PDB file of all heavy atoms in Angstrom:
ATOM      1  N   LEU A 151      13.323  14.194 -21.007  1.00 97.00           N
ATOM      2  CA  LEU A 151      13.939  14.234 -19.683  1.00 97.00           C
ATOM      3  C   LEU A 151      15.023  13.166 -19.550  1.00 97.00           C
ATOM      4  O   LEU A 151      16.067  13.403 -18.921  1.00 97.00           O
ATOM      5  CB  LEU A 151      12.878  14.060 -18.597  1.00 97.00           C
ATOM      6  CG  LEU A 151      13.378  14.203 -17.158  1.00 97.00           C
ATOM      7  CD1 LEU A 151      14.049  15.556 -16.944  1.00 97.00           C
ATOM      8  CD2 LEU A 151      12.224  14.023 -16.168  1.00 97.00           C
ATOM      9  N   ALA A 152      14.799  11.987 -20.126  1.00 97.00           N
ATOM     10  CA  ALA A 152      15.828  10.950 -20.089  1.00 97.00           C
ATOM     11  C   ALA A 152      17.098  11.435 -20.784  1.00 97.00           C
ATOM     12  O   ALA A 152      18.219  11.222 -20.288  1.00 97.00           O
ATOM     13  CB  ALA A 152      15.313   9.663 -20.729  1.00 97.00           C
ATOM     14  N   ALA A 153      16.934  12.097 -21.916  1.00 96.00           N
ATOM     15  CA  ALA A 153      18.102  12.639 -22.615  1.00 96.00           C
ATOM     16  C   ALA A 153      18.790  13.700 -21.768  1.00 96.00           C
ATOM     17  O   ALA A 153      20.031  13.767 -21.715  1.00 96.00           O
ATOM     18  CB  ALA A 153      17.669  13.224 -23.960  1.00 96.00           C
ATOM     19  N   ALA A 154      18.000  14.539 -21.077  1.00 96.00           N
ATOM     20  CA  ALA A 154      18.583  15.568 -20.218  1.00 96.00           C
ATOM     21  C   ALA A 154      19.345  14.939 -19.050  1.00 96.00           C
ATOM     22  O   ALA A 154      20.424  15.414 -18.671  1.00 96.00           O
ATOM     23  CB  ALA A 154      17.483  16.496 -19.704  1.00 96.00           C
ATOM     24  N   LEU A 155      18.799  13.882 -18.473  1.00 97.00           N
ATOM     25  CA  LEU A 155      19.499  13.208 -17.380  1.00 97.00           C
ATOM     26  C   LEU A 155      20.837  12.650 -17.860  1.00 97.00           C
ATOM     27  O   LEU A 155      21.858  12.747 -17.155  1.00 97.00           O
ATOM     28  CB  LEU A 155      18.625  12.089 -16.802  1.00 97.00           C
ATOM     29  CG  LEU A 155      17.386  12.526 -16.015  1.00 97.00           C
ATOM     30  CD1 LEU A 155      16.552  11.304 -15.622  1.00 97.00           C
ATOM     31  CD2 LEU A 155      17.771  13.323 -14.771  1.00 97.00           C
ATOM     32  N   ARG A 156      20.845  12.095 -19.053  1.00 97.00           N
ATOM     33  CA  ARG A 156      22.115  11.580 -19.579  1.00 97.00           C
ATOM     34  C   ARG A 156      23.112  12.721 -19.783  1.00 97.00           C
ATOM     35  O   ARG A 156      24.314  12.567 -19.489  1.00 97.00           O
ATOM     36  CB  ARG A 156      21.871  10.827 -20.884  1.00 97.00           C
ATOM     37  CG  ARG A 156      21.175   9.472 -20.706  1.00 97.00           C
ATOM     38  CD  ARG A 156      21.149   8.670 -22.008  1.00 97.00           C
ATOM     39  NE  ARG A 156      20.659   7.322 -21.779  1.00 97.00           N
ATOM     40  CZ  ARG A 156      19.408   6.925 -22.001  1.00 97.00           C
ATOM     41  NH1 ARG A 156      18.501   7.797 -22.461  1.00 97.00           N
ATOM     42  NH2 ARG A 156      19.042   5.681 -21.768  1.00 97.00           N
ATOM     43  N   ARG A 157      22.632  13.872 -20.251  1.00 96.00           N
ATOM     44  CA  ARG A 157      23.540  15.017 -20.429  1.00 96.00           C
ATOM     45  C   ARG A 157      24.097  15.494 -19.089  1.00 96.00           C
ATOM     46  O   ARG A 157      25.217  16.019 -19.015  1.00 96.00           O
ATOM     47  CB  ARG A 157      22.817  16.174 -21.122  1.00 96.00           C
ATOM     48  CG  ARG A 157      22.487  15.923 -22.583  1.00 96.00           C
ATOM     49  CD  ARG A 157      22.112  17.209 -23.305  1.00 96.00           C
ATOM     50  NE  ARG A 157      20.968  17.882 -22.701  1.00 96.00           N
ATOM     51  CZ  ARG A 157      19.689  17.640 -23.022  1.00 96.00           C
ATOM     52  NH1 ARG A 157      19.402  16.714 -23.936  1.00 96.00           N
ATOM     53  NH2 ARG A 157      18.712  18.312 -22.435  1.00 96.00           N
ATOM     54  N   LEU A 158      23.319  15.308 -18.039  1.00 97.00           N
ATOM     55  CA  LEU A 158      23.777  15.692 -16.701  1.00 97.00           C
ATOM     56  C   LEU A 158      24.722  14.659 -16.097  1.00 97.00           C
ATOM     57  O   LEU A 158      25.182  14.820 -14.965  1.00 97.00           O
ATOM     58  CB  LEU A 158      22.574  15.884 -15.775  1.00 97.00           C
ATOM     59  CG  LEU A 158      21.676  17.099 -16.069  1.00 97.00           C
ATOM     60  CD1 LEU A 158      20.392  17.013 -15.256  1.00 97.00           C
ATOM     61  CD2 LEU A 158      22.439  18.394 -15.758  1.00 97.00           C
ATOM     62  N   GLY A 159      24.988  13.604 -16.850  1.00 97.00           N
ATOM     63  CA  GLY A 159      25.932  12.596 -16.379  1.00 97.00           C
ATOM     64  C   GLY A 159      25.309  11.479 -15.580  1.00 97.00           C
ATOM     65  O   GLY A 159      26.034  10.676 -14.960  1.00 97.00           O
ATOM     66  N   VAL A 160      23.967  11.374 -15.568  1.00 98.00           N
ATOM     67  CA  VAL A 160      23.302  10.313 -14.812  1.00 98.00           C
ATOM     68  C   VAL A 160      23.515   8.983 -15.536  1.00 98.00           C
ATOM     69  O   VAL A 160      23.225   8.856 -16.730  1.00 98.00           O
ATOM     70  CB  VAL A 160      21.802  10.613 -14.640  1.00 98.00           C
ATOM     71  CG1 VAL A 160      21.109   9.464 -13.918  1.00 98.00           C
ATOM     72  CG2 VAL A 160      21.605  11.921 -13.874  1.00 98.00           C
TER      73      VAL A 160
END
Side-chain angles (χ1 to χ4, degrees):
L151 185 57
L155 290 175
R156 288 189 172 98
R157 290 195 301 272
L158 291 169
V160 177

